[in-house]
Amino acid sequence: MTFGNRLPKTISDTTAVDSTKTDSIKEDSQDILMMWSKKNSVGINMNEVAFVNWNAGGNNSISALFYGNFERKFQKDLLLWKTSATVRYGLNAQDGRKVRKTDDEISLNSTYGYKRDSTSNFRYSAKFNFKTQFANGYKYPQRDKEISSFMAPGYVFLGVGAEYSAPKEDLTVYLSPLTDKSTFVLDQRLADEGMFGVTPAVRDSIGNIITRGENVRTEVGILVTNNFSKEVFTNVNLENQVSFYTDYLNKFGNIDVDWELKLNLVVNEFVKANIGSHLIYDDDVKFKEDTNDDGTLETLGPKIQFKQLLGVGVMYEF
């Protein structure tokens, strides 16, 4: 017998798992999942009118509005990160005319906040907002030239400030004394015309372009936003969102307004009705109109934009 054979043999189990570490990993994963919350909803609102031998007259028409709302929230101790996205697209078809767009929106909002202590209602916050549309917009019935398109305009807000959250109400107020507003006009024809506040093209005496219009306009100013929601009656929820922005260098005190008011009525788990309005005023948005009936749209000054909504449809939340 050799010396090596006299040594005791030991076999280590390399497949063994430390149960303490495994349990710890599982607990950490569960804790992280509990910090996240989500809210999703997709739906469609429909409106249809059809006539057969109707003595009073009228045109058959159908309208549809597709929408989706998605929200994610991460909360841990004194930190809060909330992100939401909204998409909307509406169409209307009527006898005797082509299909027209009635609504079009892509919106993304994200807020990151930190509280000094657990009893405070204020957070130091950073806010990001992006908004544009899916498809070309036209001054109907004119369809030869678009008056807006995807990323024309596109808006990006990025700022830092403070946010107040009411302890007993679903109310938040955000104030940012330093917010960057970038306006994108990636449609070069619209940029050359100086639409949405960008610097227009430089032209010679006969109208030829010497220097193309800029595609991005940057401003720095003050942003104030307010979000409020409340169940005013049984199954009737009120939502109010408003924002005010003014630029430090360009017409300080001239305020851009974006105000949206909604009343949501719950019929049952799937059927919902809503009434709403949306008001926008932006001094950089110049409107086009054919003022002399020559078939050409002339560029006019800024105007108040107003939209009213009334819809009944099906919504699925998950």
Side-chain angles (χ1 to χ4, degrees):
M1 180 180 294
T2 64
F3 177 76
N5 291 333
R6 291 197 300 267
L7 291 175
K9 295 183 178 181
T10 59
I11 301 175
S12 60
D13 185 1
T14 57
T15 62
V17 178
D18 189 337
S19 60
T20 304
K21 291 182 179 180
T22 303
D23 293 341
S24 176
I25 293 173
K26 288 181 178 179
E27 290 177 1
D28 290 343
S29 300
Q30 290 174 354
D31 289 343
I32 292 174
L33 289 175
M34 291 177 63
M35 296 170 191
W36 283 96
S37 62
K38 67 178 183 178
K39 189 186 299 181
N40 305 303
S41 63
V42 293
I44 178 173
N45 289 344
M46 299 288 295
N47 182 24
E48 187 263 348
V49 180
F51 301 93
V52 178
N53 301 323
W54 192 253
N55 185 62
N59 287 334
N60 297 338
S61 69
I62 183 170
S63 297
L65 172 63
F66 306 90
Y67 62 89
N69 300 297
F70 311 93
E71 181 181 301
R72 297 291 184 273
K73 184 166 68 173
F74 177 82
Q75 189 165 7
K76 179 182 179 182
D77 300 330
L78 304 178
L79 297 177
L80 175 64
W81 181 23
K82 183 178 179 180
T83 299
S84 62
T86 299
V87 292
R88 299 170 63 89
Y89 195 78
L91 294 170
N92 173 264
Q94 191 175 120
D95 275 352
R97 73 179 191 187
K98 295 181 179 180
V99 174
R100 297 184 177 186
K101 183 175 69 171
T102 58
D103 205 344
D104 193 354
E105 178 185 357
I106 305 171
S107 179
L108 177 65
N109 295 277
S110 187
T111 303
Y112 182 86
Y114 173 77
K115 291 198 299 185
R116 291 181 299 176
D117 56 69
S118 59
T119 61
S120 176
N121 296 321
F122 288 88
R123 284 188 174 89
Y124 301 111
S125 297
K127 183 180 287 287
F128 169 83
N129 173 264
F130 167 76
K131 183 177 289 187
T132 187
Q133 62 192 54
F134 286 102
N136 291 348
Y138 298 95
K139 185 74 174 180
Y140 295 115
Q142 190 267 358
R143 293 174 180 266
D144 297 331
K145 294 181 179 180
E146 69 277 8
I147 60 173
S148 62
S149 62
F150 177 74
M151 290 302 291
Y155 297 103
V156 172
F157 290 86
L158 181 61
V160 292
E163 184 178 69
Y164 168 79
S165 299
K168 296 183 179 180
E169 296 280 353
D170 192 357
L171 167 69
T172 59
V173 179
Y174 171 77
L175 170 62
S176 170
L178 188 64
T179 294
D180 171 88
K181 176 187 177 183
S182 296
T183 303
F184 296 85
V185 183
L186 302 188
D187 184 308
Q188 194 58 55
R189 183 183 62 80
L190 295 175
D192 290 341
E193 294 177 6
M195 296 300 293
F196 311 109
V198 299
T199 303
V202 178
R203 302 174 184 267
D204 60 20
S205 58
I206 59 174
N208 295 319
I209 295 177
I210 300 173
T211 304
R212 286 288 187 179
E214 294 185 354
N215 297 109
V216 182
R217 172 188 172 89
T218 302
E219 304 170 75
V220 177
I222 301 172
L223 176 67
V224 179
T225 68
N226 166 264
N227 292 276
F228 174 73
S229 64
K230 184 178 179 65
E231 186 177 26
V232 291
F233 301 105
T234 302
N235 294 331
V236 179
N237 300 300
L238 174 69
E239 295 181 10
N240 181 76
Q241 300 177 12
V242 62
S243 68
F244 304 96
Y245 179 83
T246 185
D247 179 43
Y248 283 120
L249 302 178
N250 181 36
K251 298 181 181 178
F252 180 74
N254 185 73
I255 300 174
D256 297 338
V257 181
D258 192 330
W259 180 23
E260 194 167 2
L261 185 66
K262 295 179 183 178
L263 204 60
N264 300 312
L265 297 85
V266 180
V267 179
N268 57 39
E269 184 180 358
F270 297 105
V271 180
K272 318 286 182 181
N274 55 75
I275 304 169
S277 64
H278 195 176
L279 183 148
I280 297 176
Y281 178 81
D282 188 336
D283 188 65
D284 296 323
V285 179
K286 313 299 182 184
F287 280 81
K288 288 178 170 290
E289 191 171 340
D290 185 3
T291 57
N292 51 14
D293 295 327
D294 63 351
T296 302
L297 296 177
E298 287 78 34
T299 301
L300 307 178
K303 293 183 179 180
I304 292 176
Q305 306 172 57
F306 184 76
K307 178 173 66 177
Q308 186 269 330
L309 302 171
L310 173 61
V312 178
V314 178
M315 182 175 70
Y316 174 64
E317 296 180 332
F318 57 97

